[in-house]
Amino acid sequence: MRIFRASSALSFAGLLLAFAPYGFAQSSRPQKPLQPDAQLLLRLANEARAAVGAGPLEWDAALAEAAQKHCLRMAAAGNISHRYTGEPDLTERAGAAGAHFSLVEENVASAWDAATIHDAWMSSPGHRANLLNPEVNRVGIALVAGRNTIYAVADYSRAVAVLTQAQIEAAVARNLQANGMTILNNPTGARAACALDRGLPRSLSGPQPRFVFRWQQADLAHLPQELVNTLASGEYKQASVGSCAPQGGNGSFTTYRVAVLLYGAPSTNEIKSFY
């Protein structure tokens, strides 16, 4: 039996855990997907998660597609790995398949049947941590028969919603309103400011904001603490919100970039900027 585990998120690098390989003879049997066994692994995973108080995993078709492609590659190679020569890494594979996530993990294995694979993952601290991780909520699983064994891939993720520009701005606006801000209706200036690294666009007309705050992250449920602290000062009463395409090297991770322009009566006329 062979099992590997990998984990990746915005805040940390990939992890790899390997176990001693078990040899299997070459087989001429054609490789084929084993979808009922994938569903069995999903059920066993959710039973194990329920036993420790973790939420259930929902099936993710995009993750399943990424897992299937990698599983077929493992079966063709005859050994298990998270990445083969010329193959994209886990985050790129999942992103290319259409998954949206802020955290992604992977368990791979080869064994005689799906139940044995589940037991092996649960008996390994690293694999068990991936499977039971309360931070993930989606999974795609693939199994392929070949070489007198079954190859398995399980890709777990914390899903990120796919939102339009207006939906992103509305989510941030609700949080600003909860902090006492009145939201200005026209997002044009904030959207233009969002695309900049610092300062304000020259095209910005009308009253000038006194504070500019830019950030990007996957979680829109909460405002950055630095912005919350600024709002708590009481200097600012109105805000304009704009979203734009994210910047930087986050690869396939799904993030949102936002700019907030604050208006009010600050103690200085100088425009403040925070990124």
Side-chain angles (χ1 to χ4, degrees):
M1 181 193 315
R2 296 175 290 180
I3 52 178
F4 279 79
R5 169 211 180 221
S7 180
S8 185
L10 284 172
S11 57
F12 55 89
L15 302 174
L16 182 66
L17 180 63
F19 289 80
Y22 186 98
F24 292 92
Q26 175 71 35
S27 171
S28 60
R29 181 175 57 179
Q31 300 161 5
K32 59 180 179 180
L34 300 178
Q35 294 309 316
D37 281 352
Q39 295 298 325
L40 173 61
L41 283 179
L42 174 61
R43 178 175 63 79
L44 292 173
N46 279 334
E47 289 175 356
R49 290 173 65 87
V52 298
L57 297 170
E58 296 182 18
W59 187 261
D60 188 296
L63 289 177
E65 178 183 332
Q68 178 72 12
K69 289 181 178 178
H70 185 67
C71 198
L72 287 168
R73 190 150 187 170
M74 288 200 308
N79 67 293
I80 61 173
S81 174
H82 288 291
R83 188 178 187 183
Y84 297 96
T85 302
E87 183 184 32
D89 66 14
L90 170 60
T91 61
E92 292 177 284
R93 296 196 307 266
H100 296 269
F101 50 86
S102 59
L103 180 153
V104 64
E105 306 173 333
E106 181 174 81
N107 285 350
V108 301
S110 67
W112 306 275
D113 56 53
T116 300
I117 289 169
H118 173 77
D119 291 342
W121 285 343
M122 289 296 292
S123 297
S124 163
H127 299 80
R128 180 185 176 92
N130 275 356
L131 194 152
L132 299 181
N133 186 354
E135 296 300 315
V136 300
N137 54 20
R138 297 289 183 88
V139 68
I141 304 170
L143 296 95
V144 171
R147 301 173 187 264
N148 289 336
T149 189
I150 293 174
Y151 296 89
V153 177
D155 289 341
Y156 313 91
S157 79
R158 179 169 65 234
V160 173
V162 182
L163 302 178
T164 66
Q165 185 179 41
Q167 288 172 327
I168 296 167
E169 292 164 354
V172 174
R174 286 192 293 271
N175 288 331
L176 289 168
Q177 289 172 322
N179 281 269
M181 293 292 104
T182 298
I183 307 302
L184 301 178
N185 291 328
N186 188 351
T188 302
R191 289 176 176 177
C194 180
L196 302 176
D197 289 331
R198 58 181 59 84
L200 291 169
R202 293 181 179 180
S203 59
L204 188 65
S205 60
Q208 296 295 294
R210 300 308 184 194
F211 194 96
V212 184
F213 193 101
R214 301 173 179 86
W215 77 96
Q216 57 188 55
Q217 61 187 37
D219 180 15
L220 294 179
H222 306 284
L223 298 174
Q225 189 59 48
E226 296 91 341
L227 179 55
V228 173
N229 294 341
T230 298
L231 299 177
S233 71
E235 293 184 61
Y236 309 102
K237 305 300 182 183
Q238 297 179 314
S240 178
V241 183
S243 176
C244 60
Q247 298 179 2
N250 286 327
S252 296
F253 293 105
T254 301
T255 58
Y256 305 115
R257 182 175 172 88
V258 183
V260 170
L261 311 184
L262 298 181
Y263 300 81
S267 57
T268 173
N269 290 325
E270 179 184 359
I271 296 176
K272 303 176 184 178
S273 181
F274 186 95
Y275 179 149

